[in-house]
Amino acid sequence: MIMRPLATSALRLATWNLRFDSQPNSISVSDTLASLPSPLDEPQYLAIANGAEQPWSTRRIRVAEWLKRMNVDAFGIQEGLVRQVTDLQELFGDTWAHVGVGRDDGVTSGEFSAIFYNTQTLELQANDTFWLSETPLEPSRFPGAGSVRLATYTRFHLASGGGRGNVTVLNTHFDDQSNGQRELGASMLLLRARYEAVQSKGPVFVMGDFNSPPRGNSSEGYSIITGALPPVTSINATWAATYAVPADEQPDFVMQDLRGQAPRERVSEAYATYTGFTPPNSASAGPWQRIDFTRAYAVDEVRGDDGVLASDHRPTVVDLDLGV
C-alpha cells in the first residue's frame, strides 16, 4: 500500500506508457463495461499464462481502475493514440481534463504524451507542446530518430495552495533508436524545466518514458537531465533564447531522480518499468529495464489474476509534499 501524505498540499503524480493500440477494434467503452463479469465470480487463473498482449479494449478498464484506485491528481501517458486518450477521458468523466496533441501533426495523428488532471484539485494555468528536434515549434523528427518526439508542458495551481501552489509538470517520450535524440530531448527538457522553476518559483516535475536507463548503454539522456553529463549545445537557438534565464538564476539546476530522494521504506522493490509482455531477457522483447520516470516512488505491475497485463510497461507513482 502507498500512503498519501497528510499535508494539504500533497500531490500524487503517475506516469504510464500504455502500449499503443496495436490491435484496434470497434468495441466501445460502454460495450466493455457491459461485458464485465460479476466481481463475485472467480476468474480462470492465469488464463493468459504467457502474458500475451491483449487489445486495448481489454486493457483500458484495468488502466483506469488502477489510476483511480491510486487516487492520483494527475498522470502522464505515453504511446496513447487518439482512441486511447478519448477512452480514458470517458472513463474518468467530467471532473477530469487533459492536454496534449498527436505527435505527427500536432492535432490527433500519432501518439500522444498527454497529461490528465483532476480539475477539482488542480487548476490549469498554462500549457503548450514542443517537439524534441531541430525545429521545436512544429511537428518534426530529429535526424536518425525512429519517430517524431515531443513534450507536453503544463503549469497548475493547487486548489489547496492558498495562492502559493504553482507546480509545473512536463511529460515526454524519448526515442527508442536514436541516442542523439535522447541527448537533445534531455537537454531541452532541462533548459525548459530551469526556466519554469525560475519563472514560477515553484517545483517542476518531468515524467515520461526516457528509453534511457540510469546506467550502461543509452544512459546519456538520463545522465544529462540529472546533471551527470552536460547538455548538448545543438538546441535550436531561437527556442533556447525564448527560455533563457540569467546565469546567476539557479545555475546548478538539475532534475533529481525521486527514487533516490524518497524515504527508503516508501520506495517499492519493483525496479523495472519496461517488462514487455514476456519474461526478463526474452529474445522477442529484450531485458527488463527502468526507463520510465516521474523524476518515482512506487513501481507497480498491473496483472490480473487472469494473467492479462495492462501494458508492456509498469506504471510509476510518486507522492509529493509541496510544503505550500
Side-chain angles (χ1 to χ4, degrees), residues 132-183:
L132 305 179
S133 70
E134 297 171 336
T135 50
L137 299 183
E138 62 187 42
S140 48
R141 185 195 305 248
F142 180 83
S147 302
V148 175
R149 301 293 176 176
L150 55 69
T152 303
Y153 153 79
T154 53
R155 183 186 293 177
F156 296 108
H157 175 76
L158 273 67
S160 62
R164 297 184 295 125
N166 288 328
V167 58
T168 298
V169 180
L170 296 114
N171 180 36
T172 192
H173 188 184
F174 291 170
D175 200 61
D176 60 335
Q177 299 180 33
S178 170
N179 201 47
Q181 191 286 322
R182 293 189 288 271
E183 292 175 336

Side-chain angles (χ1 to χ4, degrees), residues 244-303:
V245 298
D248 60 350
E249 293 271 12
Q250 300 201 35
D252 300 321
F253 182 90
V254 295
M255 302 304 295
Q256 294 182 323
D257 186 339
L258 295 184
R259 184 177 176 95
Q261 300 299 314
R264 181 62 184 87
E265 67 275 12
R266 292 177 57 84
V267 178
S268 73
E269 292 305 315
Y271 181 84
T273 61
Y274 170 74
T275 62
F277 293 98
T278 59
N281 300 311
S282 70
S284 60
W288 288 12
Q289 298 182 80
R290 179 172 175 251
I291 56 174
D292 305 271
F293 300 94
T294 339
R295 288 293 345 129
Y297 193 116
V299 177
D300 204 357
E301 178 175 75
V302 184
R303 182 195 296 265

Side-chain angles (χ1 to χ4, degrees), residues 109-132:
S109 178
E111 297 176 5
F112 286 63
S113 291
I115 296 174
F116 287 76
Y117 61 97
N118 185 338
T119 61
Q120 296 180 321
T121 59
L122 293 170
E123 301 168 3
L124 183 66
Q125 302 293 301
N127 73 279
D128 65 53
T129 299
F130 55 98
W131 279 260
L132 305 179

Side-chain angles (χ1 to χ4, degrees), residues 85-102:
V85 173
T86 56
D87 282 355
L88 286 176
Q89 184 62 64
E90 180 177 349
L91 286 164
F92 274 83
D94 293 340
T95 60
W96 280 74
H98 70 273
V99 296
V101 300

